[in-house]
Structure formats: C-alpha cells, structure tokens
Amino acid sequence: MADRNAPNCHLRLEWVYGYRGHQCRNNLYYTAAKEIVYFVAGVGVVYSPREHRQKFYLGHQDDIISLALHPERVLVATGQVGKEPYICVWDSYTVQTISILKDVHTHGIACLAFDLDGQRLVSVGLDSKNTICVWDWRKGKMLSMAPGHTDRIFDISWDLYQPNKLVSCGVKHIKFWSLCGNSLTPKRGVFGKTGDLQTILCLACARDEVTHSGALNGDIYVWKGINLIRTIQGAHAAGIFSMNACEEGFATGGRDGCVRLWDLNFKPITVIDLRETDQGYKGLSVRSVCWRGDHILVGTQDSEIFEIVVHERNKPFLIMQGHCEGELWALAVHPTKPLAMTGSDDRSVRIWSLIDHALIARCNMEEPIRCAAVSTDGIHLALGMKDGSFTVLRVRDMTEVVHIKDRKEAIHELKYSPDGTFLAVGSNDSSVDIYGVVQRYKKVGECVGSVSFITHMDWSSDSKYLQTNDGSGKRLFYKMPSGKEVTNKEELKGVQWASWTCVYGLEVNGIWPKYSDINDINSVDGNFNGQVLVTADDYGIVKLFRYPCLRKGAKFKKYLGHSAHVTNVRWSHDHQWVVSIGGADHSVFQWKFIPERKLKDAIHIAPQESLVDSNSDESDSDQSDVPELDSEIEQETQITYRRQVYKEDLPQLKEQCKEKRKSAASKRRERAPGNSIRLHFVHGYRGYDCRSNLFYTQTGEIVYHVAAVGVVYNRQQNTQRFYLGHDDDILCLAIHPLKDYVATGQVGRDSSIHIWDTETIKPLSVLKGYHQYGVCAVDFSADGKRLASVGIDDNHTIVLWDWKKGEKLSAVRGSKDKIFVVKVNPYMPDKLITAGIKHMKFWHRAGGGLIGRKGCIGAMGRTDTMMCAVYGWTEEMAFSGTSTGDVCIWRDLFLIKTVKAHDGPVFSMHALEKGFVTGGKDGVVALWDDTFERCLKTYAIKRAALAPGSKGLLLEDNPSIRAISLGHGHILVGTKNGEILEVDKSGPITLLVQGHMEGEVWGLATHPHLPICATVSDDKTLRIWDLSPSHCMLAVRKLKKGGRCCCFSPDGKALAVGLNDGSFLMVNADTLEDLVSFHHRKDVISEIRFSPGAGKYLAVASCDSFVDIYNVMSSKRVGICKGASSYITHMDWDIRGKLLQVNTGAKEQLFFEAPRGKRQTIPNLEVEKIGWASWTSVLGSCCEGIWPIIGEVTDVTASCLTSDSKVLATGDDFGFVKLFRFPAKGKFGKFKKYVAHSTHVTNVRWTHEDSLLVTVGGADTSLMLWTYEMEGHRESRQCDSEESDLDSEEDGGYDSDVTRENEINYTIKALSTNIRPMFGIKPHLQQKEPSLDERQGVVRGSRPPVSRALPQPEKLQTNNVGKKKRPIEDLVLELVFGYRGKDCRNNVHYLNDGADIIYHTASVGILYNVATGSQSFYQEHNDDILCLTVNQHPKFTNLVATGQETQQICQLQLLLSTCGMQ
C-alpha cells in the first residue's frame, strides 16, 4: 500500500460556517433569484434561505475582501488580497467565472462597483497610491487608471444619474471623478463651513448631482456637485459603515448596531436597533446592509447575518453565524453524533450540527480557547486555554465540571484516552499532564521528555501508550498513566494507535515534500477504514493522502477555500465529512467525503475550476513518479534559452561606454565599405527543439525558420526569401488559416512575436511586452483574428492576443513545467488547449484571464507528457500525442480512449478534412481515418525511398519526425536532423532543405577554386555543400567525434579536419575517405591550415596552446610552436609559406617561423608589409577597428579578408556579420552590419572569387550564404540595418543650435521638488479657511510649512452652518507674454480660418484672437508643454493635442479650443 499515488477519493465542499464582517463593508446582497451572496475566507458563497443550501465560488486563492453586485443582480464581482491580486466576475447561478481582471493592482482590491448599465467596473487597490482603475470587464481590459488618494479609500460608487462620473471617499476626503477618454480626473469635495473635515466611510448617489455620504462621527453629509450643502446630524450614534440605495430610498447601518431607513429625499422612515432585539447583544456593530422590498439583510462585525422583515422589524431572523475576530484553533468532533465543537480566541465555544448545517449551542468562556476534546462517551467537553488552564464542560447544557490551572503557557493539545479514564493535556511548557477523569480530574502523571512546546498527541487503542509531537520536530512515546518515557523501540512494535493526528512518524512521512525541513503542516487526521489521511497547512490548503503514506513527497488531492493557514482538520465520527477550520479567516468548512466506489457514479463531479494554478504545488496529479522521459524530450527540456546578454541590452551597454564613444567620435574614422552583402541562401531547419514549424503557403511555397530567419522556400526554383525582422533565435512558427500570414516567436529579454506576410515579407504586427526570455508556441484562431502564445518563463505564461491591434486580451500562468504546444479551438476562439510535460489543460477565456482545467483521465491511467495536440471534427473533440507513442482522444476534458500510434513519442500531428496524419520519433508518417480507428497508410522515411531530384542526402534512416504539414498533394516532413522532406502520396521522398543537427558548428572552409565549402560540427558530421545555384549537400560523413575546424589543401584534393579529442584527419575531398590521421594532443583542435602554394606543411593548432607543424608528404611532425599563454583561436600563413601568424584566447598576436616553429618578434609596421596568404586574424593594428565599443561583453570570433584585400568580414558573439574597410585602423571602425544568425557567428569565409560570403552560426546550426554586391548595386532592403555603432555624430556634426537642443535634459527639474504636485487641489478649488484640524497639521500637505496667519481664538471655532459665507477671491489668468520657441518646433497654428492663433508657453495652451487681441487659456497641464498639434481632419475641427513633460509619462491632453478650452 506504500505507493505514492494520490488517493482515488474526493472531498466536496458542502457548507461554510461564517461571514466576513471584520475589515470589510458592503459585502452582502440579494441576487435576482432571492439568494444571498457574500464571502468568507477565499470563497464566494451563494446561500438560498428557502432551501437552506449553499453554492460556492472557488476562483480566488486568497482572502476575498470586496464584493459588488451587477445591476441585473446575477453577476458578482469579487476582489482579493495578495501580491498579484485579481478581480473575478462570476455568475451567481452557475458559480462559474465569467471574467478575470488582473495585472494592475498590488496588495489587494479594497472596493468594487459596477456602473448603471453594468458594462464597466471600477476597482480601488490597497497599494500606497490607492490606485483607481476602470475596466471593460467583459473584455478584461483596463480603460483608465489614476492614483486615488494618499490615504485609504473606503468606498467608491458610480454616479448612476450622470455618465462617466464617480465618487470615492475615505480617510479625511471625498473626491468627485470624471472619466474623459482614458483619463480620470478628480476634484476634491469642499467641506467648507457646513461640516467638519472628517473621514467618510460610505456613500450613495442620488439625482441632480446629489451625493449622500456617511461619516465617522455618525452624521450624514449631503453634497451637491463638489460642495457640502447640508449635514444630517446624529443619524447614527457612531460611524456609519454601510449605505445602500434601492427603489424605496436608502438604508444605513452603523457601529451603534442600528439600521435606519430613509426615503428618497433622505427623510427618516424608521430605525431598527438590533442590540435591543432577542438575538442582539452589547457591542453589535453593523458592517453591511441591503434593502430589497420588505426584506433587509444585515451583516455584523461578529460574522452574523440577520434578515429583517420590515413589518416585523423587532424580530430579526439570524440566518448565519460564525466565530468573531481572533484566531480559531480548537476543533473536536463528537464520538457518536454528527456534531463538531470549535473554540476560538473570541472566547466562545460553539457546537455545530453537521446535518442541519447550523449552530446549536454556544457558550462564552473567560479566556481565549486553543484546543478542545470530547470524552469517548460524549458527555464531557474539555477546552484548553491560552493562559495555561483547562475547563471541562458538560456537553448537554454547557455547564462547568471543573476548571484547573497547572501551567503558565497555552494548552495547545488535549485528548481523552480511548477507555475514557484519562485526559492528557499538552502545554507550551513542553510537558504533558495526565488527569484521571473519574477522580474529578486529579493529576495522576506527567510526561517531561520534550524540549519544545507540545503540538500533537495520540493514544494507543489500549490506552497504555501516548505518542507526542513537539515544536522541535521530535516524536516521543510515554507509558500511561505514569508518564515514563519509552525508549525501547521493541516495546512499541505491536502498538495500535486509536487515532492518528501526529504530523511526524513513519506512517505520515509522505505528507512532507521531499528535501524540505519546514514545519508548515498544522494538523493531520487519519481515516483508518478509508485508508486516507487529511492534512491542513499554512497555505490554506486541505489535502488528501493515502494512509499510511511512507515515502516523502507522496502525491495528493488538494482543496482550496481557506485563505490563510488552516489550523485544524478532523474526520466526523462516521467519516462522512471532514471539518477544517481557518486561523485568520476563523471560518469552519465542512467537506463531504466521496469514497472511491461512489466516485464511479459521480463522474459528473467535474474538476473544480481552478484559477489557482493547480500545479502551484508539487502535486494534484493522480500518479506516482512518472516513467523516465524519452531521451529526446529530456534533452529538450534541459535546453536553456537564457542569454548572458540580450540584443535589447546593446543600447544600455553602449551608453555605459560613453567615455569611449566620446573619444572615438573626436577622431576621424574610415568610412564604412561601399560594398555590401545580401542574404542569399540558408542551409538548415530548426527541428531539434521545435515542432510543427513547417507549412505550405497559399502559393505552394514552404515556410519554416532557422536561427533568426523566417524562410520562404520556393521548391520549383530552389530559391529562398527571408524575413529578417527577428534578432535572436526563432523558436516557433504558426500559419494563418488563409496560409498567407505567419507568426513567429523569438528568444529575448522581452521577447517578441512577429506576424508577417509570406508574399511581401513585410511585418504586419509585432507583439511584445508580455513574454520573458522567449516564446515557445504560437497558434492562430480559425478566424485568424486571434493569436495564442506561450512563453518560456518559469510559469510558461499563456497569452491570447488580438494581433492586428497588438492588444493582449487575456493571460494566465500556464504551468511550472514546459508547455510544448498551444492550440486555439477552431469552433470557439475563446477556448484553447495546452499540452506539455505531464500536462494537458483545457482553457477558456474569462475577460483578462484564462481558466484552465486539467484533462480528466479517470480510471484510464496517468497524465503522460503530451508532445502535440489538435482539435478534431467537433468543438469538444481534441487529440493529443504522448511521449509514449499513444494518441489520446478527448471529449471536453475527459479522456475517452487511447490508440497506440508510434514507437516512441508522437511529435507532430495534423488534422485533415477526413482524418489525421501523425509523425513520431520512429521516423514513420501515419495517415489515420477520422476516428483514429484505422491506420490507412504509413510512410517510413528511408534513404532507399529518396527521389532523384533530392537536394542532399538523408543522414540516417527513420529520422525523428518533428513537423508534418499537408498540401498540394504532398506531405511535408521536418526532422530532428534538420532536414525538410516532401513525401509524395505514392511514396517517393524528395529532400528539399537540410542543415547540421543539434550541436555547435565551428568548422568552415571554402574550396580553393570550386564553388563548394566544407563544414564540420559538434554533431559529429563532416559535410560538403554545393554553393552554386543547386544549393545542396554533396556529401556527408559521420565522424567518431565532433570537430571544430577544417581546411582544403591548396589543390583542393585533400581536406584536413580537426576533432574535439585532439586528433585530426586528412580525407579525400571528393569521397571523404580517410587518407591519414594523427592523435598528438588531448584538447580540442581549434584551427588547421595548409601552407600556400604546394601545400607542403600543415599547421594544427589546439586548445592546449601549441601549434604543431606537419610535413604533408612525409606525414611527420616537424615542428612545435610554443609560447602561447592560452588556447589558439586563429592562424594565417604568409604567401611564401614560411611564417605563421597566430591569435590566442589571451588576445596575443604571435609569429612563428616554419617548419621548426621558432618564435619571431615582428614590429607592427612590418606586419602590414608582409604579404599574407589569408587573413582570418582578429588582432593587430590592421584590424583594431573591428572590436566594438562593448568589446568586454562580446568577442569578435572570426574574420576573413576578400582577395583584393579591401573588405574584411567579421562575425561576433552577438550574431552580427559586419563588413569593414581593410585595414581597419583606429578604434571602433565604421561598418555595415547584418542580422540573421541568432547567437554567436563562429566562422566567416569568402569563396575563392569573393562572389559569396559563407557564415556559420554556433548554436543555431545554420550555414548562410550571402552574395557580395559591389558599390552602386543597392536595392532597398531590410538587412542593411545599422551602419555603425556610433551613429554619424562625427560626420560634420550638428549645427550649434541643434547640438544645444539635443543636450537639453528635461529630467533634472522633475527630480527636484515638484512645485505643483500632481494630486494637489487646484488653487481655485482649495478651501481658503483652514479648519482647526488642518491647522494642527492633521491633513498632510495641505498647509504651508510656515503660516503667518494668527490662529483664530478657540471660541470662534463653531459650526458655521447658518452663517453667510464670505465670497472667496480668486485670481484669474488674463494675459500671458511669451512663446516657447527655444526648443520646440511646429507649435504655432491658425484655427478657425485664421481668426485665431494657437500656441503654448510654460504650462499654458494659449488661443489668441487676432481681431480683438484677447487670449483664452487651457490650464490643465501641470508642467512645461513641449509640443502641440492640431487635428487636420474635417470631422474634428479645433481639436488640439498638447504634451507635457513630467516625472511620470508624457501626458497628452486633448483640448477643444472652441468650447472655452475644456
């Protein structure tokens, strides 16, 4: 029984006792179905009083603290606390999520409100700025956001009678907001002399710009516009927490325990004092009211919900109660009845009926209660207190039997012995006392083995032994009743335990995760009959394990609902229920236990919707450790796509090298070369870690990717066209349903997805800002409007885009493990599936989030690793290929059957009109009918089947298939080995494209007089490529080791290859057969070179810093060049074949004489005069300029000089190929650069007549051919991207004015104190008379630091309601002299056919009337305006946009010049 699978039984939440009244307001409403909606802990509850039934919304993963009801009263919005809190909008009938709003707030969501037609939702965050956010909640899109206030905001409401107006209130303020465009602008409420400035707790809007608000002192303040017009004094005796508006009028509830009803004009109707009613008590405080017709709902601070019928208002009906504030730790279950007892720090002990779902008794004690136990006969209830005492009560009438205090510290655990004679009491004094029940609880023994506080205890069935756990993680045993410690393990061998509530011990090892030493599991209870164990932990999770569970890291089922720590959990006496209690949420949850046999009937229990990643924790999987991953998949999961430096970092790196730039800019530098190169052909296809990335386009061309290039290949003409918009490895590719657009996703710090047209090769949209490190899967929806993508960040974030607008629609964390594929449902673009490591999830969109459900496997086995997935012929059918070779068939989220399809993983799958095609690691392509009943045909990829027109050779039979696509009567297949094949339906196979396999490619050599080149790579192959228009691989040979360098002999007949184990070969250049081989070194051979002319000598350089010189004819080593202090990187011969130039990893440039290898010292000037047979060196004065400014970060790995010695091509670690004029003297030469390789370019070579440049990429395994174009031959194209590192600063420089303006820094001012703070009150809105509070400095930032006004004498401080107000003088701007011309352009315009002129100066927009000479002003900016433009469109006459500078972002304000500048 010690398997580590999760148990097959299940818990279902049946009832929650409690209501969250503390620290929350206005969270209790009637729905349209007359049900009551509220929340407790992390659960939204819909309670039907008629049926006495609860439904639960479980979409949150932390405490819910705010709730709003949609005007139609069916939908509910709830907001939670947490680091990344979100808002859920859900349906109160079905309790399913409709929308998730996220990624904006931090800390928590304090208030929510829907607008009148329910289209928009406003939320207030708990962050330091109390950010206010307006959402289009159905789309999950934020419409507007603004900082709310510096202090807490308690309530927010839409003005239901004016569109786009909101009111918020809170600590010492009330603000009236207007929403205009996407900006929210506040105006502060003016308290004036009508009332005192104080904290406003709640509000309700009425007609005619009237707002009613409830204040902390119990008054109601009535506002008109932004001014306080009257107060209703003494409406309540203390703070008014809740105000609810309905058709009949308003209901208010306050801290004084009263509910008052008011008519629509706020005249009092009636008052209900709940403290005076039967159920009332002193200190009752109302937190929430809801008035509907003749019913009123009242929620109190102490977790009760009352329902009041208006005409019997003195008889409120108590419909829900729970523990009050304070931690809840004590839980016990009755031994024979369905009762649970709880006791809390609120000092009450309560008895709950698990059948009637009701509180049946409660009793208040003197002290906070920490633990409870019921005697075996069910007569006594013992309670352990926080002060070290314990009390025993009679269960039937709650009268006291005894009260004993023997300890000073809290009693945390007590238990009666199974035979009922003893009570063991464990305290935080680290001892257990034993009391005799019959002797009126006389102390009979004491156990003192522990060194820490006692946490858990269990008795043996015969009442002779006790085991304890303590805070230090020790498990100890004692003999009963004496309390003597048992150390002899033999004695304990046959002991049966009556209960199991200990967290330490062999039987419960499995509840602890592997490799952890934490003690976050608070409680355990074993159900011996059902062989299940339930645990409660600090993360709010209740888990089911098998019992016993012996091995660490066992799998489990987990259940969310409690928000913070779950302090205790127990099975009911008959194991029908589990009761769990929450510490901070002080709620009691009752779960129904559904054993295995029932589960079969209950397949309708769909998995609970979890927005919480159900994989946030190790398990919830139903399986034990999964079988070993297939080797290929394992390799792939270990690839990391993280880079030390990303191309996005280049601008910053260049900034850091500013000093170098300045010095470089002052020197005159050589221009960049006039000639250029253009990408012409790429050998390679990325198959080793990508799948399904190969498609036919509309016109029958083939689109795929390699390195950073999107390739469109024309198979008739054997030509390629390139999309060069990416600057790093492309990892995925998807094609639009119309087969004309393609989406590709790349690696990057903020990685981007490009959607581009395969005909014009132009980008249509670039999406970025959401994926970190890279994008590993993309898919278009069937209508082509949406795109789904998956990132390779740690959470594998899934994003759904409206790609044309470039807008993110929804996002969610996908999985901790790698996701391989995402597919959008062709019938419902709001649904998608993802598949990956042990992962198959079905998602549907809900606003800004996605809700995922795991595929339900049922009794069919375990979740395999899924490598590919497609949708079938109806919206609910889906198919996935597993790593074991099966195809899984899914209906909705249930697995209905599996079919064995391949040996080894199924990597690719494609759906056809009438069937499917699959490809796997076994190198077989299989065609299936539409139900996967029959395999119609298989094609094995074999050399024998290769058709004569193939562009290369198949490296091996049955290569692993990574991509399949159909079209034009053919099947297109991409393999792991980098080959693209076209399979004819009748069987022959044509090879179209191929490249190296996984492993870095370093070795490259071009033939001395033919258009061919050789490459050698870490994939252990040596290949010969045809560079003429046939572009194919001519020959390939497998080597015993990978290689890093190769070189043709001067006559082109032999080819030397250096291998990674220190040996090298010479082979026949045509047949690749061995001529001779040597093995003299242990380290990698890094460079190998024949001497020019007759090729008499061969120089072989290795990474152990020696160069060996061999005589080719005699095959003997004739010399060794010593003296290099690091590995050798480059080597060149002089024309005579007598001198070797060597570069090393320590950036040394050394010279040796052949054949003996004697070291020579040659001055720089002489080096230039020597005629070199080739130049591939990267050091020396001739190529000083090729090192970039950021040379510390990146290395120049290779260079090669044209035969006319004019242009030097280089490759570097950033994937750039650059062209310099030669010699490149002086630092930081100018260049042309080209991006196509993704990471380091390892080698570059010109062909013998300089017509082509050949480059190889390291990790991207590609071989690229570039045509060399002479000056004058230039078309417009993408790839001549950036001319040089230092843009043309020094070419003649700028005009002095331009230089000065370029150097103006607008940030300095913003960093000093902002003179007019953004959130202040405009002068014309501020109250002129500071109230007493303000003078005492209560309101921050509202009074000047030094006030010259004398304080008014105290006695004048009366409430000035009746007095006439003095008119407040205000300054009005009349005329402005000046115009900002010093650093702005194009900022004066005519308006109204030349009648007016508009311009700006300082922070004012000015409209000057030419005829009258008068000015009018736009004064909404609060800092210098820097730009202005007028809308030319006839539809928008007189619309002006101005942009200002500010600490935050540039704010654009639109001003209408005609309507008096608003």
Side-chain angles (χ1 to χ4, degrees), residues 1004-1018:
L1004 169 67
T1006 48
H1007 194 280
H1009 46 256
L1010 294 174
I1012 62 175
C1013 74
T1015 55
V1016 59
S1017 141
D1018 289 353

Side-chain angles (χ1 to χ4, degrees), residues 265-333:
N265 301 318
F266 244 90
K267 301 274 186 299
I269 300 176
T270 180
V271 64
I272 301 160
D273 188 344
L274 285 170
R275 292 182 183 182
E276 301 303 309
T277 59
D278 308 344
Q279 306 273 4
Y281 50 91
K282 190 165 157 272
L284 184 145
S285 160
V286 175
R287 299 295 286 199
S288 189
V289 289
C290 174
W291 180 14
R292 266 271 164 275
D294 55 352
H295 286 71
I296 302 166
L297 274 181
V298 182
T300 71
Q301 169 92 30
D302 291 344
S303 312
E304 296 133 339
I305 300 176
F306 290 98
E307 188 168 40
I308 305 170
V309 182
V310 178
H311 50 264
E312 293 181 7
R313 51 181 171 270
N314 50 359
K315 292 210 182 89
F317 182 58
L318 187 55
I319 55 178
M320 175 52 65
Q321 41 194 326
H323 279 281
C324 319
E325 214 168 343
E327 296 225 337
L328 175 59
W329 278 88
L331 167 67
V333 290

